[in-house]
Amino acid sequence: MLADVKQWLKEEPRQAATLGLSALALALSFCGVRFGPVDPAWLAVLLCGLPIVREGAEGLFTRFDIRADVLVSLALIAAVIIGEIFAAGEVAFIMQLGALLEARTVARARAGIERLVHLTPRTARRLAAGGTESVIPAEAVRVDDVLRVLPGETVPVDGVILTGQTAIDQSVMTGESLPVDKAPGDEVSSGTVNQFGAFDMRAVRVGEDSALQRMIRLVQSADAGKAKIVRLADRWATWIVLTALIAAVGTWIVTGEVLRAVTVLVVFCPCALVLATPTAIMAAIGNATRHGVLIKEGDALERLARVRTVAFDKTGTLTCGTPGVARIHSILPDLAPDELLRLTAAAEERSEHPLGKAIVRHFRESGQPAATAEDFRMLPGRGVSARVEGREVLAGNAALLAERGVSLPPELESAAQEARAEGQALVLAALDGKAAGFVALADDVRPTAGEALSGLQRCGVETVLLTGDSEAAAQAVARRLPVHEVRAHCLPEDKLQWIARREAAGQPVCMIGDGINDAPALKSALVGVAMGGVGSDIAVDAADMALVQDDIRELPHIFALARRMMRTIVCNLSFSLILNFAAIFLAMTGLLSPVSGALVHNAGSVLVIVNSALLLHWQARRSAQ
């Protein structure tokens, strides 16, 4: 948050100076400071109020668009006429602060798209007919060019592997937590990362046709097509303004007393109406912040109150996002699971593969004495081999064991199929040329996920799992959590289409995710919620909210808070309207003077603020219940 403030001060010095000076002037006015006959609040009226009056006049006279700006302009003029300078400056300051926050949100969204664009590879290694390698700009790659991708490099375009075996981190495109082994004939996508092992590939889709460029366009189109909710005050503005003006003019014509007409405009001065929504939103945002939820969009909670379907990404959202050992299975009578883990971890000690690293990490956490490996060999796309305490250890996939002449007995095949059905990745192990068992790895479900989804369902919200992972991995998670619907193998455009279909059917969607591949869906959904801790910067920028500590238990809290906030806003608006129209009637009959009218609308503003402030602690008590 401090970084955002510093960036704003650097980029928008004029707005910062305007709001700073206005806040200081209002503080001096509130404390009773005067510079001769001049109220310091005049500075806030001039700096913040004049732009509002100008915009309201332009909208009214050029587009006949009566919105909240017209309401506020009339409020400012009426307040100045009766000498309520502080009230005029206060309303103008609040409105300009809200406009600034909205502008900063738009800038953040644009920054998120720029970060996504920066993921696009800048160069590629092209192989000539004679085998000569040259580095060229990625945009110069043409279809059927042969490219080489080294370990740690990003795949420059979409293509097919010709030679070499490796594992690819596809989380950018699919969100999969585990790397995917690739061999000749397999497809690779631009933007994905080669984990280890060099390979040659043939370019198939280049430039604007590549997968990463398509996702960038998805984010941009989703951002452009996402409609903003019209503020309640804007919806009612036309009728309120016309009613007040007709009442003032009618009073003047009927009674012939200008004072009564001015009093009507004074009591109409909609301070309570203007404050009804922003004060409730500010209180709700403060409440959410205390619970580790950062609200980035001013109207995000207003939109969230309408949501009845929540779509979750799997990896990093409902799961922890990193592979962990889920099961150790030994088929040798004289080999305990702990011993199999010890030998396998020793063989994987120098492995670059994420699954091998996960096995080593799990073994170190167990506290067992480590073994030393010799003759270590990394076999890209298959696994590793090593000699551990005089025994030959193989650790990898079925292709590695078949290559070394190791057959898998039916018992091991059956157990392996069962583990794969649970969405687990397997590292098969062999000792001295004989199958020994396997280590199964999976992305663990977050301990708080069940509680979060159950809480959402109690709120009447349908929960859906949208993931780029396999059907088996998705169903394995769904069996452990209360999920209504599961959709696997979802690319970014698939998630976008699913959300579009739901919202076209009148079912607003909240999307919750953490990865770059979730950015289009987060931007397209009515409300996007990103995991602020493990989530990518692009996902956080695309979302309307962020869970700072990745605690999804707070989701039911936020849903209940949003609905309570909307009830508070409706209550505030209803009260302010009833008060205004009652005061207008009294002013028309001459029972209220301009001074007493000013007191009435100030009292209404205070009551609205007090009612909104109750939101600061309401949800904490509600959660406890």
Side-chain angles (χ1 to χ4, degrees):
M1 185 64 68
L2 183 59
D4 282 346
V5 173
K6 291 180 178 178
Q7 185 70 14
W8 168 56
L9 291 174
K10 180 180 179 181
E11 295 178 357
E12 307 289 350
R14 179 181 296 178
Q15 287 86 340
T18 296
L19 287 175
L21 289 173
S22 298
L24 177 61
L26 290 173
L28 292 174
S29 176
F30 183 79
C31 295
V33 177
R34 295 292 183 272
F35 297 98
V38 180
D39 189 329
W42 270 110
L43 186 61
V45 173
L46 296 175
L47 293 178
C48 296
L50 287 181
I52 295 174
V53 174
R54 184 180 67 249
E55 292 174 8
E58 288 177 355
L60 180 62
F61 296 114
T62 63
R63 300 183 300 273
F64 198 68
D65 185 14
I66 301 177
R67 304 191 65 170
D69 285 343
V70 178
L71 280 172
V72 176
S73 298
L74 290 176
L76 293 175
I77 293 170
V80 168
I81 289 175
I82 64 168
E84 290 287 332
I85 309 304
F86 178 82
E90 178 188 27
V91 171
F93 176 78
I94 290 175
M95 294 300 296
Q96 288 291 15
L97 183 60
L100 175 67
L101 293 175
E102 185 174 352
R104 292 300 301 164
T105 299
V106 173
R108 276 203 193 101
R110 192 175 298 115
I113 296 175
E114 290 172 357
R115 281 199 181 102
L116 189 56
V117 171
H118 290 333
L119 285 179
T120 306
R122 295 288 186 265
T123 60
R125 300 175 184 273
R126 184 167 62 188
L127 298 180
T132 305
E133 179 183 310
S134 60
V135 178
I136 62 172
E139 57 268 23
V141 176
R142 297 293 178 262
V143 175
D144 291 331
D145 280 354
V146 178
L147 310 175
R148 176 164 293 166
V149 182
L150 301 181
E153 291 185 342
T154 301
V155 179
V157 297
D158 296 0
V160 177
I161 294 180
L162 299 176
T163 61
Q165 292 178 319
T166 186
I168 299 291
D169 178 359
Q170 299 186 150
S171 59
V172 167
M173 299 306 301
T174 67
E176 293 174 275
S177 58
L178 303 177
V180 178
D181 291 333
K182 298 288 185 177
D186 291 336
E187 294 184 354
V188 290
S189 299
S190 61
T192 59
V193 180
N194 182 24
Q195 295 284 54
F196 62 88
F199 64 88
D200 296 343
M201 60 175 284
R202 178 174 59 85
V204 175
R205 289 182 294 274
V206 302
E208 294 298 316
D209 294 328
S210 68
L212 183 59
Q213 291 299 321
R214 290 200 306 272
M215 187 165 69
I216 291 172
R217 291 198 297 274
L218 285 176
V219 175
Q220 291 171 332
S221 63
D223 183 40
K226 186 171 182 178
K228 297 293 184 184
I229 285 183
V230 179
R231 296 181 183 90
L232 289 176
D234 285 337
R235 295 181 202 167
W236 297 352
T238 300
W239 300 108
I240 297 172
V241 170
L242 290 177
T243 301
L245 290 178
I246 291 172
V249 173
T251 300
W252 186 15
I253 294 174
V254 171
T255 65
E257 297 182 20
V258 177
L259 185 60
R260 287 195 187 187
V262 172
T263 304
V264 168
L265 290 178
V266 169
V267 297
F268 158 74
C269 181
C271 289
L273 186 66
V274 171
L275 293 172
T277 298
T279 54
I281 290 177
M282 290 168 64
I285 289 177
N287 189 309
T289 302
R290 294 169 55 193
H291 286 262
V293 182
L294 174 64
I295 310 295
K296 297 171 52 189
E297 290 269 11
D299 65 342
L301 287 171
E302 187 176 352
R303 286 183 268 125
L304 188 65
R306 297 169 48 197
V307 168
R308 291 300 180 269
T309 301
V310 180
F312 287 89
D313 174 51
K314 180 181 76 69
T315 305
T317 304
L318 294 179
T319 65
C320 298
T322 56
V325 174
R327 179 182 176 189
I328 305 168
H329 183 78
S330 173
I331 62 171
L332 299 180
D334 58 344
L335 184 68
D338 287 348
E339 181 65 11
L340 176 61
L341 174 66
R342 189 176 75 90
L343 296 174
T344 306
E348 296 277 14
E349 180 69 36
R350 285 180 283 171
S351 172
E352 299 175 8
H353 199 285
L355 297 184
K357 292 180 179 179
I359 291 173
V360 173
R361 182 173 62 250
H362 180 82
F363 173 75
R364 289 174 178 171
E365 292 172 354
S366 70
Q368 298 182 57
T372 302
E374 300 174 348
D375 298 330
F376 170 82
R377 292 184 182 181
M378 187 76 185
L379 306 170
R382 298 188 297 283
V384 300
S385 67
R387 183 166 295 278
V388 181
E389 297 179 347
R391 308 183 71 176
E392 182 186 7
V393 179
L394 297 177
N397 55 24
L400 172 61
L401 270 62
E403 183 181 279
R404 298 300 180 93
V406 179
S407 60
L408 302 181
E411 176 190 354
L412 184 58
E413 284 278 15
S414 176
Q417 289 179 4
E418 180 183 334
R420 292 190 183 100
E422 292 292 325
Q424 298 171 350
L426 302 184
V427 175
L428 299 171
L431 299 179
D432 298 326
K434 186 177 181 180
F438 62 78
V439 179
L441 298 101
D443 188 3
D444 293 333
V445 173
R446 287 181 181 271
T448 58
E451 178 184 347
L453 269 66
S454 296
L456 287 174
Q457 292 187 358
R458 287 194 296 272
C459 291
V461 175
E462 179 184 358
T463 54
V464 179
L465 177 59
L466 299 180
T467 177
D469 242 339
S470 65
E471 185 72 29
Q475 291 294 342
V477 171
R479 281 192 290 270
R480 300 174 60 184
L481 297 173
V483 177
H484 290 101
E485 182 181 345
V486 178
R487 291 188 174 269
H489 300 294
C490 289
L491 294 175
E493 50 263 42
D494 297 327
K495 295 181 180 181
L496 210 60
Q497 291 168 4
W498 183 89
I499 291 172
R501 287 195 300 270
R502 277 298 181 98
E503 298 199 336
Q507 301 177 31
V509 176
C510 170
M511 178 69 197
I512 303 175
D514 72 304
I516 296 170
N517 64 303
D518 296 319
L522 290 169
K523 181 64 71 175
S524 174
L526 186 66
V527 181
V529 181
M531 308 295 282
V534 300
S536 70
D537 289 343
I538 293 170
V540 174
D541 285 332
D544 304 303
M545 307 180 188
L547 302 176
V548 178
Q549 301 299 327
D550 297 336
D551 190 355
I552 60 176
R553 288 180 302 179
E554 298 297 343
L555 290 174
H557 165 88
I558 296 303
F559 270 82
L561 177 65
R563 295 173 185 178
R564 178 67 180 189
M565 184 199 76
M566 288 306 299
R567 289 196 294 270
T568 299
I569 289 174
V570 171
C571 180
N572 286 346
L573 291 172
S574 300
F575 168 76
S576 62
L577 286 175
I578 292 172
L579 180 66
N580 272 4
F581 285 115
I584 287 174
F585 175 76
L586 294 175
M588 293 172 65
T589 59
L591 297 176
L592 277 183
S593 66
V595 175
S596 58
L599 292 176
V600 168
H601 80 69
N602 281 338
S605 299
V606 171
L607 290 175
V608 163
I609 293 172
V610 170
N611 188 45
S612 296
L614 297 177
L615 285 171
L616 285 169
H617 300 284
W618 174 86
Q619 192 59 38
R621 296 195 300 271
R622 191 75 172 181
S623 294
Q625 292 173 1

